[in-house]
């Protein structure tokens, strides 16, 4: 359908919510937020002022979040967005906001400079370790996709030796351990990943899937429900979580609840698996009522 300003406001709002990722700020989602609000203002002159106000409000929010987090990368992201916001309202007679944004930029630069000078070599060593950890984790992912889980596990272990704060390495380590049949260790690795990023819906879903395979259905169901609560409103992703919830409920014999969960999954993203599950639930329910 024709592009509408409200569509881009909605996209901007979603990206703004996704900008805060645990203890970090996503520069990608921050940039997408500004781009979406900017596009909303371009589509309708009546919405131009509202779009600019949304950008300015987002800039001040992300600057405050960056100061609270205190990480160099977060401050860098906050500075980038404040600079973009100030340029976008330049010449629009928003002088107070321009001045406040400039002051905010100056404060962020000051904090970054102070942090850089105080940490010095320690920051360089930490960043080097993080880069090494990411590189090793990437190598492990390639090996795991090639069906070489033991070699992949060794890479993930090395990545965690370089930086045990690498949440992705804990996650992929869990998947490698699962492929190797070391399920208790895999669950412990999922827990370490969740300790670093407790709001990661995907990790909750992965842990639930493993628990379901192990027959620990109540625990699996709790994981799927947590994933649903945390998931962004993206249909194809959230549909998987509802599908898994339906499977767990079916295996627990709670067929009416399973049917409802599978119906919800099918409404979000129709699939043969959800359709078959719905049919199986209805057959069980009809058989129960008939007997």
């Amino acid at each position: 359908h024709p592009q509408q300003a409200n569509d881009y406001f909605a996209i901007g709002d979603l990206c703004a919510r996704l900008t805060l990722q645990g203890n970090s700020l996503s520069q990608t989602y921050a940039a997408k937020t500004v781009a979406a609000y900017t596009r909303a203002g371009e589509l309708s002159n009546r919405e131009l002022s509202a779009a600019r106000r949304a950008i300015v409000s987002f800039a001040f929010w992300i600057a405050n979040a960056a100061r609270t987090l205190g990480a160099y990368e977060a401050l860098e992201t906050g500075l980038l967005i404040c600079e973009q916001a100030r340029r976008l309202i330049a010449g629009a007679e928003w002088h107070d906001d321009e001045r406040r944004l400039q002051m905010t930029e100056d404060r962020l630069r000051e904090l970054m400079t102070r942090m850089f000078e105080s940490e010095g070599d320690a920051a360089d060593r930490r960043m080097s370790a993080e880069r090494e950890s990411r590189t090793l984790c990437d190598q492990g992912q390639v090996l795991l996709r090639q069906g070489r889980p033991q070699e992949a596990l060794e890479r993930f272990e090395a990545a965690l030796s370089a930086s045990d704060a690498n949440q992705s390495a804990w996650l992929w380590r869990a998947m490698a351990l699962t492929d190797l049949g070391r399920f208790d260790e895999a669950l412990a690795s999922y827990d370490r990943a969740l300790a670093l990023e407790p709001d990661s819906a995907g990790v909750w879903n992965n842990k639930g899937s493993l628990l379901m395979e192990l027959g620990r259905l109540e625990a699996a169901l709790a994981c799927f429900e947590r994933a649903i609560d945390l998931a962004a409103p993206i249909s194809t992703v959230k549909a998987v979580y509802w599908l898994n919830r339906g499977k767990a409920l079916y295996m627990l014999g709670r067929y009416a609840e399973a049917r409802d969960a599978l119906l919800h999954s099918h409404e979000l993203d129709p699939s043969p698996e959800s359709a078959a599950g719905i049919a199986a639930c209805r057959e069980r329910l009809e058989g129960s009522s008939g007997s």
Side-chain angles (χ1 to χ4, degrees):
H1 61 274
Q3 295 183 6
Q4 301 288 334
N6 283 342
D7 295 335
Y8 282 93
F9 277 120
I11 293 171
D13 291 346
L14 172 59
C15 291
R17 289 195 294 273
L18 295 172
T19 297
L20 184 60
Q21 302 274 330
N23 293 322
S24 64
L25 294 173
S26 167
Q27 194 169 115
T28 299
Y29 278 118
K32 287 182 177 182
T33 301
V34 175
Y37 289 146
T38 300
R39 183 58 178 155
E42 291 171 348
L43 286 171
S44 172
N45 286 332
R46 290 181 302 176
E47 301 293 349
L48 181 57
S49 179
R52 286 173 171 168
R53 175 55 57 198
I55 292 169
V56 170
S57 297
F58 178 64
F60 286 128
W61 172 84
I62 203 169
N64 287 331
R67 285 194 291 263
T68 300
L69 293 172
Y72 188 91
E73 294 79 2
L75 295 169
E76 188 175 43
T77 299
L79 177 60
L80 173 66
I81 297 305
C82 286
E83 288 175 338
Q84 287 183 342
R86 183 170 53 80
R87 287 196 298 269
L88 285 168
I89 66 171
E93 298 185 356
W94 290 31
H95 305 304
D96 288 343
D97 286 315
E98 279 192 76
R99 185 166 55 254
R100 288 176 61 210
L101 284 167
Q102 184 64 69
M103 292 172 61
T104 301
E105 291 173 42
D106 293 342
R107 178 58 176 159
L108 291 174
R109 285 194 187 91
E110 180 185 343
L111 290 170
M112 291 169 67
T113 301
R114 189 184 306 164
M115 182 178 298
F116 183 79
E117 292 174 348
S118 64
E119 293 187 0
D121 292 340
D124 290 340
R125 288 195 298 271
R126 185 175 63 253
M127 291 175 67
S128 177
E130 290 172 353
R131 283 195 297 270
E132 180 185 2
S133 182
R134 287 194 296 268
T135 299
L136 288 165
C137 187
D138 290 342
Q139 293 172 359
Q141 291 176 43
V142 172
L143 290 167
L144 192 60
R145 292 189 180 103
Q146 292 175 347
R148 298 155 67 183
Q150 183 57 51
E151 294 172 73
L153 178 62
E154 292 169 4
R155 290 293 198 286
F156 300 137
E157 298 280 10
L160 290 167
S161 294
S163 174
D164 64 359
N166 186 340
Q167 189 260 5
S168 293
W170 286 111
L171 170 61
W172 284 93
R173 178 179 181 270
M175 289 187 273
L177 288 165
T178 299
D179 286 355
L180 292 168
R182 294 161 61 177
F183 303 125
D184 288 339
E185 293 174 79
L187 289 171
S189 197
Y190 278 130
D191 287 339
R192 289 297 298 269
L194 288 169
L196 291 168
E197 292 188 23
D199 293 340
S200 176
V203 179
W204 281 107
N205 179 70
N206 282 10
K207 182 183 177 183
S209 296
L210 176 55
L211 287 167
M212 186 163 60
E213 289 183 23
L214 296 174
R216 297 165 61 178
L217 300 178
E218 292 288 357
L221 182 60
C223 288
F224 297 139
E225 290 176 346
R226 183 68 175 145
I228 289 168
D229 290 339
L230 293 170
I234 302 172
S235 298
T236 54
V237 175
K238 204 162 188 176
V240 174
Y241 304 157
W242 279 103
L243 177 66
N244 285 336
R245 181 176 187 273
K247 289 180 184 178
L249 287 165
Y250 183 89
M251 294 170 71
L252 286 165
R254 294 159 61 177
Y255 302 120
E257 294 173 77
R259 176 202 59 202
D260 294 342
L262 293 166
L263 282 169
H264 196 72
S265 173
H266 201 71
E267 289 170 0
L268 290 171
D269 185 32
S271 70
E273 192 173 7
S274 58
I278 293 164
C281 289
R282 286 173 173 165
E283 182 178 345
R284 290 281 189 173
L285 290 167
E286 290 168 2
S288 175
S289 61
S291 61

